[in-house]
Structures are given as C-alpha cells and as structure tokens.
Amino acid sequence: MSTLDSSIPRFHLAMPVDDLDAARVFYGEVIGCAQGRSADTWIDWNLHGHQFVTHLAPRRAERVHNPVDGHDVPVPHFGLILTIPEFHRLAERFRAAGTTFVIEPYLRFEGLPGEQWTMFLLDPAGNALEFKAFADDAQVFAV
C-alpha cells in the first residue's frame, strides 16, 4: 500500500532494534512490509500505509507487564487494527514462521461491545506488538 485512502492520519513510529538484518527478515518477510529508505543504522517500512522505522539501538529498557483479561500484557506495545480476515492471515504467517506468541490469538469480549480478536508477540529485538481485529469496526472505542 503506497497511500492511505482514509481521513485517518498516518502515524510515524521509530522503534529500537538490536539487529537490522533480523528486523529486515521479520518486518519484510514475516509481516510483509515493503521496505523504504534505509541507512546503516535504520530502515523505513510501509506498515499498512504508516511510516514505521527500525533504528539500531542495542540497549533495551526493562519490560513491564499489566494484567488484562487474565493475560500479562507487555508495556509498551504497538500494533495495528486489521480486518478479521487480515488478522487470521497474519496469525498464520506468524505460525508458519515459527513465531512464539506472548498471547496466542484469541477472541475478547465475545458478544459484547468491542468484540475483537487479539494477539501479542515480540519482534526479534523484543519490541512488543499487538494485532487486533474488531467484529464491528465502529466499536473500536466502544465502552
């Protein structure tokens, strides 16, 4: 995707990684992001129309977890809200690549406002990612 056909602004996010080659495999081959500009210490990625950048940064901060629905959710984390078919295709790509899930794909709030599929995993540098998909996209902010 080269443009975002939406009124929602695109985000730019820079994340630390300790190995650019591992990031290239994970974000390029496993997730399927198109690679943009790069240098010796960073790579731009097209993450569903958003500018995501992996920057070489060998030191990591301590990870924190918060309890959510009986799971230990890693903080910080980031991710995308996908369609349900995209969510399941991506989960299969992760499984095929041998990715270990922090939280396996599962359905939250079944039959309630905000019903959603969600999964958590770590990239090769230990950055926590969440991908989710709502049964009704209009309920992304439902209470």
Side-chain angles (χ1 to χ4, degrees), residues 119-143:
M119 63 180 150
F120 285 83
L121 54 124
L122 303 178
D123 76 0
N127 294 306
L129 309 173
E130 177 185 17
F131 295 92
K132 56 173 58 180
F134 285 81
D136 178 356
D137 201 52
Q139 293 189 350
V140 169
F141 299 105
V143 291

Side-chain angles (χ1 to χ4, degrees), residues 28-109:
E29 296 176 21
V30 176
I31 294 182
C33 297
Q35 184 178 319
R37 296 178 301 275
S38 67
D40 292 341
T41 58
W42 56 271
I43 304 170
D44 276 348
W45 300 101
N46 179 344
L47 185 64
H48 285 257
H50 302 284
Q51 187 185 39
F52 176 73
V53 186
T54 49
H55 281 272
L56 189 58
R59 287 195 234 148
R60 301 285 310 154
E62 183 180 338
R63 182 157 316 281
V64 176
H65 291 84
N66 282 332
V68 177
D69 295 339
H71 297 280
D72 287 329
V73 172
V75 177
H77 66 265
F78 78 97
L80 291 176
I81 299 171
L82 305 168
T83 65
I84 291 175
E86 288 172 323
F87 174 91
H88 290 292
R89 281 193 298 271
L90 185 57
E92 286 308 311
R93 287 181 73 132
F94 288 136
R95 286 186 180 106
T99 302
T100 300
F101 292 96
V102 173
I103 300 173
E104 291 278 341
Y106 79 103
L107 184 61
R108 296 178 69 194
F109 310 125

